[in-house]
Amino acid sequence: MTSSGSKNAGVQLDAPGWAENLSFREEDGDYVTVMLLAAGLARIRDDRRRMDAGEHLTRTSAEQGLLPAPWRSGMTRLWWRFHTAGETPPRNDLELFELCRRPFREWPIALRLSVADIEESLLDGDELTPMAEQAARLSIRDVEAELVENLVFRELMLVAELNATDEAEVQTHYCELRRLLIDNPILTEAKVRRLTGRFPKHGRNGQPMLQRFIQAAYVHRASQGQVKIDVCDICGNPTQRGIDGCGTTGCTGRTTDLVIDAVGGYYVQHRATRRFFRDPGLVEARILDRLAEMSAERPISVEAWPGLDAYDIRVSFLSGRDVVEVWGADAKDQVSPGLLGLGFTWRPDPPCDRRFLVLPTHRADQPGYVADLRAELQGRVSGVSVVSEDAFVASVVARAEEVVER
C-alpha cells in the first residue's frame, strides 16, 4: 500500500498492519482514529486473555505496562480533534475507555462518521462491539479473532487441496466445506466421521486433515447419550439459556431445543468461526439457495464462491449453450456502512459484466445505511451496484426472462 499524501492527518498509511487496498482521504480522518482505538482495544483484550491463561507476554507494551501503540496513536489523534474543536480531551486512559462505551453521537466533538455509524460505540461494558471488531480487523491484522479466522481458512484450504485431483475439484471441495460452516453451527461426532470418509487424506502426523479443520473451527464438548441444546428456531445458532431471542443480527428467531445423540461428544462452532464465517455466510447461503431453485426453470448457471472466493456468487445467463452475460455478487453483512465502504475491494478474476454489492434485508432496511455506503464507495470502487438481497434476486429473474425473450 502506498501513502495517499499529506492530507491524511499524518497517518503513515504504508506502515505494516493496515489491511491491504485501503486508501484514505482527508475526510476519512475520524474513521482512521476509530480504527486505531478499536485495534488498541482488541490488543488490550487479547493480552488480558493470554495473561489470564498463564502466558508470559514478551511484547514491550505488556512488560512495561504501556498500552498498545494503536491505542496511543488513536488517543493522540483524538486529543488534537478535541483541541481544535475547543473541547477538553479525555485526561487519561480511563476517561477514554468510558468515552468508548458511549455512542459516538454523545461524544463532546462531532466526529465525521456516517449517519448509521454515529449511533454505534466501541465498547459494550468490557466487550468489543461489532463495530469495534469490524474496525479492528480493517486496521490491524494480528488480533486474536483474525488469527483464528486465518487458521480456519488455512485448514479448510488444506483439506480441499489434498483431497483433490485437479483445480476444479479443489473448487468443489472448497464450496462444500464453506457451506459446512454456514449450515452447521453444531456437529455431531457421527457427522464428523462421515466427513472424514468423504475427505480421507491424512497429515504427516497421521491425523486426518479434516479433523484438524474441525478442531480449528469448532470446540469439542464431551458428552454421552442424548443432549439437549438451546438453539434458534430459524438460523440454528446456539442461544444463551434464559435469554429471550436469538442474538444473531437480523434474525427474529426464538430459542428452541435441539436434541442430538452424542457418542463421546459433539462440536460447537468457535466464536470467531461463527462471527467471520457462519453469520456473514447466512445471506450468501440464502441467495445461493434461491438462485439454485430458479436455475431449474430459467436459463442461468450459478457458481458459489468462484475463484476460491474471489467474490461470493457468479451468475451466467444462457442462451442455449452460449453465455449471454455474467453477473458477480459479493454479499456483505457488516454493522458499519462507512467501514464497509472504506475496506471494500473487488477482485477482477473471474471476470463478470456487472458487479453487485448485496446487503441482507436487515441492513438494507436500516435508515441511512445504503446512502452512506454508496457515498463511501464513490471514488474508491467504480461500477458496483449496491442492492438488497431481494432486489438482486429480482434483477436476476428479470434479466433471465429478457434472455428467454430474445
Side-chain angles (χ1 to χ4, degrees), residues 45-326:
R45 175 200 62 187
D46 298 338
D47 279 352
R48 184 184 302 119
R49 288 178 178 174
R50 292 165 63 189
M51 287 188 289
D52 288 345
E55 182 177 346
H56 176 67
L57 301 184
T58 58
R59 202 174 61 238
T60 302
S61 63
E63 286 189 339
Q64 298 183 357
L66 300 176
L67 292 173
W71 174 263
R72 299 198 303 274
S73 297
M75 190 173 188
T76 300
R77 291 173 56 84
L78 197 62
W79 188 92
W80 281 109
R81 285 284 281 113
F82 272 79
H83 180 72
T84 56
E87 297 286 347
T88 302
R91 291 173 298 178
N92 51 48
D93 294 301
L94 292 179
E95 286 195 4
L96 183 52
F97 286 137
E98 287 302 318
L99 194 61
C100 289
R101 293 185 172 95
R102 294 164 54 185
F104 295 118
R105 61 177 167 77
E106 296 181 4
W107 287 29
I109 57 173
L111 296 178
R112 292 183 290 270
L113 305 178
S114 73
V115 174
D117 292 341
I118 207 73
E119 300 297 323
E120 301 293 333
S121 64
L122 292 177
L123 286 174
D124 181 4
D126 291 330
E127 296 295 323
L128 270 66
T129 63
M131 168 81 167
E133 294 277 11
Q134 183 182 347
R137 292 182 66 232
L138 191 60
S139 58
I140 300 297
R141 306 175 64 181
D142 63 348
V143 297
E144 178 197 41
E146 188 168 348
L147 287 174
V148 175
E149 180 186 12
N150 290 341
L151 174 62
V152 172
F153 183 81
R154 183 173 68 248
E155 295 298 333
L156 185 156
M157 286 301 304
L158 284 172
V159 176
E161 291 173 349
L162 292 178
N163 287 277
T165 57
D166 54 32
E167 291 186 4
E169 198 170 12
V170 173
Q171 177 71 35
T172 299
H173 291 342
Y174 177 87
C175 292
E176 183 176 344
L177 295 169
R178 273 298 295 268
R179 194 60 193 257
L180 173 76
L181 296 179
I182 297 172
D183 292 342
N184 295 274
I186 297 171
L187 278 176
T188 63
E189 289 274 18
K191 185 157 189 174
V192 172
R193 285 195 296 271
R194 291 195 296 271
L195 285 168
T196 303
R198 171 89 173 88
F199 301 99
K201 294 295 185 180
H202 289 65
R204 293 180 179 177
N205 62 355
Q207 183 185 32
M209 297 301 300
L210 188 281
Q211 189 69 42
R212 283 183 30 174
F213 165 60
I214 296 299
Q215 290 173 352
Y218 291 81
V219 176
H220 184 264
R221 294 183 178 172
S223 187
Q224 193 72 25
Q226 280 198 339
V227 179
K228 185 169 68 174
I229 306 169
D230 291 337
V231 299
C232 173
D233 61 358
I234 293 180
C235 74
N237 271 333
T239 59
Q240 293 184 3
R241 187 175 297 276
I243 302 297
D244 190 27
C246 172
T248 301
T249 305
C251 184
T252 58
R254 298 292 179 183
T255 297
T256 188
D257 291 337
L258 172 68
V259 179
I260 63 173
D261 291 320
V263 181
Y266 60 97
Y267 295 86
V268 178
Q269 277 185 343
H270 192 289
R271 185 177 66 93
T273 307
R274 175 174 169 177
R275 175 164 292 178
F276 301 132
F277 289 94
R278 172 168 163 77
D279 287 356
L282 291 173
V283 61
E284 302 165 11
R286 286 197 301 269
I287 298 170
L288 286 167
D289 289 346
R290 293 171 69 179
L291 295 179
E293 292 178 3
M294 292 167 44
S295 63
E297 302 175 355
R298 292 178 174 84
I300 63 172
S301 172
V302 181
E303 301 170 64
W305 302 291
L308 297 177
D309 211 5
Y311 42 89
D312 296 326
I313 302 163
R314 193 167 189 255
V315 182
S316 298
F317 298 91
L318 309 174
S319 178
R321 295 184 177 181
D322 297 329
V323 176
V324 176
E325 190 170 274
V326 178

